[in-house]
């Protein structure tokens, strides 16, 4: 735009859309509901102006197109007139829009200066939320926020649908351009990763994930809890629920299935805590957020003999070895979610289970089990196992030898031996 | 409960144990960042049967030991080494035994000293003193790894810690070394989960060794 008129008073602009000066001067002394109504009006007007501008631009382009097609027609002033006309009204619309914008800014709607200010009526100026929704009252912000969140979800779903379709109908097209940043992390893994992730994305519920996990890792014992139930259980730990004999394991396994079947889908939606126990080695507590989802948000490791109200996903073990593992694992849930949110829980649990060799697997760098950590002056086993570039292919259950191999391939490092990237 | 290895001092041929060695051992623990925490004490009694007339001594068990451990002051542990039996009883059983007069204490030993923390490990260094004569009969050590209680799972890590300890100790010129003897817990009917019965059995096992050592020195 060539013109930048800053000080045009509202009176001089044509159009009946702008509020007259006396009203605008009295704005500050108006009761809040009137201010709110005014602001809503102005926002609606602004939207209308924007629509007009869009149309005007269309018309301009059309006029230019026609003029370009028939340059030498007699009486071809028509397109030229059109262009001039449209140009004038466009300028007007933009001017009006600028005015409204200034008014909205002054009344505190767009620049949030009055957001925190509450007047005697307890009302706030209407807010324009990040996702574009306009709300009249602050308490509606919450709803708008939720609308925003669902908009994000809808976009993500739309993107996924588009990506799936593209992969299905146009396999010859390069996938990298669509997946963007995610593909960078997948660089280095073989092309079967995409298929493998589709396989893992079959695991739609926590129960699916845990069943699959128990197939892969023979020693692990899993259970799920509502948040409050976990606190009760933590205070009772350690107990002899998990007997070492396989017979009892089967009994417990089947009882869990019976319980989950009888209570049905209600339980699945309330699962907030997952417990992984590798008997005699460690107990890991994972929390899901939101409850009932497959999104892990915290994990903590404990001795299988520890018990008490501090045993939870954000708690800290009394033993140095488990404290250090918990520290190392702090960013793991977020990492797995960033790589692929659908398979994040399963991958995280698999990675956690790699610690079953905590007290037997020597450090992949120095070859020893115990090492004195310089910083803390503690003797520790290799507590750090890398989770970046963690990929485990889905092994068929009959192929037990390769299954063991793939889990044992994950290196283990002392704190000081961990490779720096 | 946490895994524990009980070690005893094996003096070199021709040497005895003395308090100088004890001091060196304690210093060595502190040199590997052990933090002294407090004292500990355990007692062990050798019982011998009170013979009635015409009783055949061979019928009565010979290696009958009673042990009290600091972790559970209100319990008392009996070990019949020959028969591979270990029993946990209430500490009031000692009163009953005195009343019964069927077995009397032949030798009573005290194990006492200091305990040290090394991160997740706990070390105890103790002198073995005869209650009657107050003479130093030996040195024992307890090595404990607190996070886990499975004997099998902890074996490798305890082994490495033992090696680290031996290496640290070998830097000092001492006439002897610590020995770890691993009893067959299964024979005593004990499971893979560590308990105080396991400790009692370990003490009973090293007693035999210590007595043999003491006898050979005397001869």
């Amino acid at each position: 735009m060539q013109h930048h008129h800053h000080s045009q008073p509202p009176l001089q602009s044509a159009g009946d859309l702008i509020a007259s000066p006396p009203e605008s001067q009295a704005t500050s002394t108006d009761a809040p509901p009137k201010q709110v109504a005014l602001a809503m009006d102005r926002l609606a007007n602004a939207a209308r102006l924007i629509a007009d501008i869009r149309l005007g631009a269309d018309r301009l382009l059309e006029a230019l197109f026609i003029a370009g097609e028939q340059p030498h027609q007699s009486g071809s002033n028509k397109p030229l007139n059109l262009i001039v006309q449209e140009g004038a009204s466009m300028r007007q619309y933009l001017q009006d829009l600028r005015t409204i914008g200034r008014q909205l800014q002054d009344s505190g709607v767009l620049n949030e200066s009055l957001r925190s200010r509450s007047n005697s009526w307890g009302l706030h100026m209407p807010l324009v939320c990040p996702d574009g929704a306009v709300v009249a009252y602050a308490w509606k912000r919450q709803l708008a926020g939720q609308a925003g969140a669902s908009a994000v979800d809808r976009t993500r779903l739309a993107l996924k649908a588009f990506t799936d379709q593209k992969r299905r109908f146009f396999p010859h097209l390069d996938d990298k351009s669509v997946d963007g940043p995610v593909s960078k992390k997948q660089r280095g893994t073989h092309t079967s990763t995409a298929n493998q992730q589709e396989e893992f994305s079959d695991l739609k519920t926590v129960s699916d994930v845990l069943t699959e996990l128990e197939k892969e890792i023979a020693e692990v014992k899993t259970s799920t809890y509502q948040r409050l139930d976990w606190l009760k259980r933590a205070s009772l730990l350690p107990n002899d629920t998990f007997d070492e004999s396989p017979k009892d394991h089967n009994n417990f396994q089947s009882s869990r299935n019976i319980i989950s079947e009888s209570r049905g889908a209600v339980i699945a939606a309330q699962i907030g805590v997952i417990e992984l126990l590798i008997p005699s080695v460690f107990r890991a507590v994972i929390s899901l957020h939101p409850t009932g989802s497959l999104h892990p948000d915290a994990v903590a490791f404990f001795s299988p003999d520890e018990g008490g109200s501090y045993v939870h996903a954000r708690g800290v073990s009394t033993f140095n070895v488990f404290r250090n593992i918990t520290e190392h694992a702090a960013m793991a849930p977020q990492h797995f979610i960033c790589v692929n949110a659908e398979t994040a829980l399963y991958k995280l649990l698999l990675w956690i289970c790699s610690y079953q060799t905590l007290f037997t697997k020597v450090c992949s760098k120095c070859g020893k089990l115990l090492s004195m950590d310089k910083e803390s002056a503690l003797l520790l086993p290799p507590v750090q196992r890398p989770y970046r570039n963690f990929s485990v292919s889905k092994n068929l259950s009959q192929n037990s030898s390769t299954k063991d191999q793939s889990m044992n391939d994950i290196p283990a490092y002392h704190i000081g031996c961990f490779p720096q990237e | 409960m946490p895994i524990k290895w009980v070690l005893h001092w094996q003096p070199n041929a021709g040497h005895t144990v003395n308090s100088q060695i004890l001091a060196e051992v304690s210093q060595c623990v502190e040199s590997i960042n052990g933090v002294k925490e407090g004292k500990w004490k355990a007692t062990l009694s050798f019982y011998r049967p009170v013979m009635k007339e015409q009783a055949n001594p061979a019928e009565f068990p010979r290696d009958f030991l009673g042990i009290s451990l600091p972790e559970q002051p209100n319990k008392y542990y009996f070990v019949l080494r020959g028969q591979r039996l270990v029993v946990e009883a209430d500490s009031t059983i000692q009163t009953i035994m005195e009343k019964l007069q069927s077995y009397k204490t032949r030798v009573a030993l005290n194990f006492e000293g200091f305990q040290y923390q090394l991160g997740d490990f706990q070390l105890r260094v103790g002198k073995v003193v005869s209650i009657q004569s107050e003479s130093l009969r030996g040195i024992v050590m307890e090595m404990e790894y607190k996070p886990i209680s499975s004997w099998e799972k902890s074996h490798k890590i305890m082994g490495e810690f033992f090696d680290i300890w031996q290496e640290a100790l070998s830097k000092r010129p001492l006439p002897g070394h610590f020995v770890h003897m691993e009893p067959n817990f299964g024979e005593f009917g004990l499971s893979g989960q560590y308990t105080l019965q396991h400790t009692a059995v370990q003490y009973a096992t090293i007693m035999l060794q210590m007595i043999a050592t003491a006898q050979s020195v005397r001869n």
Side-chain angles (χ1 to χ4, degrees), chain A residues 234-248:
Chain A
S235 308
L236 295 172
L237 287 173
N239 55 16
D240 294 321
T241 310
F242 295 113
D243 209 287
E244 298 240 14
S245 62
K247 179 180 63 147
D248 286 352

Side-chain angles (χ1 to χ4, degrees), chain A residues 303 305 320-321 360 369-370, chain B residues 119-120 147 149 153 156 160-161:
Chain A
S303 160
D305 307 322
N320 296 299
V321 54
T360 47
L369 190 57
L370 277 176
Chain B
D120 292 330
S149 50
K153 286 277 191 302
K156 198 162 171 186
E160 270 210 24
F161 185 66

